[in-house]
Amino acid sequence: MIDNLFATLNAFASKYLFWINSPQIGKIDVVEIIIISFLVYKILVWFKKTRAWNLLKGIIVVVMFVMLAAMFQMNTILWIVSKTINVMVIAIVIVFQPELRRALEQLGQKSFFTSLFSFESQKNQERFSERTANEIVKACYEMAKVKTGALIVIEQNIVLGEYERTGIKLDSLVSSQLLINIFEHNTPLHDGAIIVRGERIVSATCYLPLSDNMGLSKELGTRHRAAVGISEVSDALTIVVSEETGNVSIAIGGELYRNVDAEYLRGKLNFIRKGSMDVARFRIWKRRMKNVQETNETVDK
C-alpha cells in the first residue's frame, strides 16, 4: 500500500511537476524528515524553557546578518566570518554548557532506557513504607500551620550522592517529630534541604541547583526554585513548605504544583512508593484527580 502511494506521488510529480528538478523521495527520506522535524521541535521547546532562549535568538540574528551579507556579496564581512567560525562554534559550546549538560542529564532519565535495560535489581520492591509516607505528610502540614519553611527531597532511581555530600550526614529513620525539629527556626540543620532515601533521612542542609525556568512566578523564592531545579536534573520528588504563606507544593519533572492538600500529597506518595513515578503518568493522574475534585464540588453545590 505504501509502495503504491509513493508510486502515485512520483507519477504525479513527473507528469505535472516536471519543471522542478527535485530528487526522488523514498520511504527512508520521509522517515528522516519526520525524525529531524521532531528533534528540531523538541530542541526549540527545550530552549524556550531555559535562559538559553534569548541567547538562541541572538545567534539567529547573527546568522540572518551573515546571510544578508552573502546575498549582497559583502566580502569583508564574509572573510571575517570565515576566519572566526571555528572560534564561534567553541564559544557557543562554552556559553550553552550548563544547558547542554542539563539536556544530556534529562536524556539519560528517559523511561525508554530503563525499559530496555534493567538497572535496578529491586525494581518491584517498595521504596518506603506507608508509615513513612504518613509521617512526611503529617510533618509537612504541621509545619504549614505555623509557617515553618521546609524542603524535602525524596530520591527515586537517580542517586543524589552529589547533593547529599553538600550537607550533613544523618542516616536517621523518618519521623514527623524529627522532620519538624530539623526545620525549626534557628536550629543548626534548618537551612537547606533534606534528602530522603527509602525509610531514612540521609542528609540535611543540602544545597540544590536553582532552576533557570523563566516561566516560574516571580513571587516564588529560592526554596521553590531549588525544588524545581533538583526536579529538572533528577527524577526526585520534592516537597516545599512555604515560610511566607504556609502552602505546601510539590515539584517533579521540572514542574511545580502549588498549594496541594494533605490527601493529594498522601495519594501521590503512595503512588510512587511502590516504584518509580513516571512524569507523564503523574500528569495524567493529576488531571484525573482534578476532574474528580471538580465533580465533587459540583455535586456539593
Side-chain angles (χ1 to χ4, degrees):
M1 181 178 178
I2 296 177
D3 292 335
N4 293 334
L5 177 62
F6 278 107
T8 303
L9 292 175
N10 287 329
F12 176 83
S14 61
K15 185 175 181 180
Y16 298 102
L17 303 177
F18 60 89
W19 49 275
I20 299 178
N21 185 18
S22 60
Q24 294 294 321
I25 299 177
K27 291 182 286 186
I28 300 300
D29 300 316
V30 174
V31 172
E32 284 183 331
I33 292 171
I34 293 173
I35 292 174
I36 293 172
S37 301
F38 176 78
L39 290 176
V40 170
Y41 170 76
K42 286 294 183 181
I43 290 171
L44 290 176
V45 170
W46 173 76
F47 265 111
K48 196 169 184 179
K49 292 181 179 179
T50 67
R51 63 181 179 181
W53 179 245
N54 290 329
L55 297 175
L56 181 63
K57 289 191 291 186
I59 292 173
I60 292 174
V61 171
V62 173
V63 171
M64 292 176 63
F65 177 74
V66 173
M67 292 175 63
L68 188 66
M71 289 173 59
F72 290 97
Q73 295 295 311
M74 299 178 181
N75 296 324
T76 304
I77 295 176
L78 294 176
W79 180 84
I80 294 173
V81 171
S82 65
K83 296 300 181 182
T84 59
I85 185 67
N86 293 331
V87 177
M88 287 191 292
V89 171
I90 297 173
I92 289 172
V93 173
I94 294 173
V95 169
F96 287 112
Q97 185 270 337
E99 284 75 18
L100 292 173
R101 178 180 176 181
R102 183 170 300 169
L104 292 174
E105 288 173 342
Q106 292 176 350
L107 182 63
Q109 298 169 22
K110 297 302 181 182
S111 58
F112 61 81
F113 282 114
T114 56
S115 64
L116 294 176
F117 306 101
S118 177
F119 294 110
E120 299 292 335
S121 59
Q122 300 180 347
K123 190 174 181 180
N124 295 326
Q125 295 187 6
E126 291 186 353
R127 295 187 179 279
F128 47 85
S129 65
E130 188 175 357
R131 183 203 69 83
T132 297
N134 291 333
E135 291 293 312
I136 293 173
V137 173
K138 180 180 178 182
C140 287
Y141 287 92
E142 287 294 326
M143 289 186 287
K145 290 179 181 177
V146 294
K147 295 185 179 180
T148 298
L151 188 56
I152 303 172
V153 183
I154 301 175
E155 184 183 88
Q156 293 201 75
N157 279 335
I158 298 177
V159 179
L160 303 175
E162 175 184 353
Y163 306 102
E164 177 186 344
R165 289 189 290 271
T166 65
I168 299 173
K169 186 175 180 180
L170 291 183
D171 193 25
S172 305
L173 191 67
V174 174
S175 68
S176 59
Q177 294 89 343
L178 178 58
L179 291 172
I180 294 172
N181 253 342
I182 288 175
F183 290 109
E184 185 64 34
H185 292 290
N186 300 322
T187 57
L189 301 179
H190 85 282
D191 193 20
I194 67 166
I195 296 177
V196 176
R197 179 179 298 141
E199 304 280 353
R200 310 189 75 81
I201 303 171
V202 295
S203 188
T205 69
C206 299
Y207 294 101
L208 305 180
L210 299 182
S211 174
D212 296 325
N213 188 350
M214 302 301 292
L216 292 177
S217 174
K218 300 300 182 183
E219 66 185 25
L220 298 177
T222 304
R223 188 176 283 115
H224 289 82
R225 287 195 171 272
V228 176
I230 191 65
S231 73
E232 289 174 343
V233 299
S234 73
D235 61 350
L237 167 72
T238 307
I239 306 171
V240 187
V241 181
S242 173
E243 190 172 355
E244 296 180 355
T245 63
N247 293 334
V248 178
S249 305
I250 58 172
I252 186 167
E255 299 288 341
L256 182 67
Y257 304 93
R258 302 175 63 182
N259 195 18
V260 300
D261 58 29
E263 290 305 315
Y264 182 88
L265 178 59
R266 183 178 288 105
K268 176 184 56 60
L269 289 173
N270 287 328
F271 183 72
I272 71 169
R273 69 186 179 90
K274 293 185 179 181
S276 177
M277 179 170 67
D278 182 73
V279 177
R281 289 179 58 200
F282 171 71
R283 288 171 180 167
I284 294 172
W285 178 80
K286 180 178 181 291
R287 287 197 296 269
R288 288 176 179 173
M289 291 293 294
K290 182 179 179 180
N291 293 335
V292 171
Q293 291 175 356
E294 289 177 351
T295 302
N296 292 338
E297 290 175 358
T298 303
V299 172
D300 293 338
K301 291 179 181 179

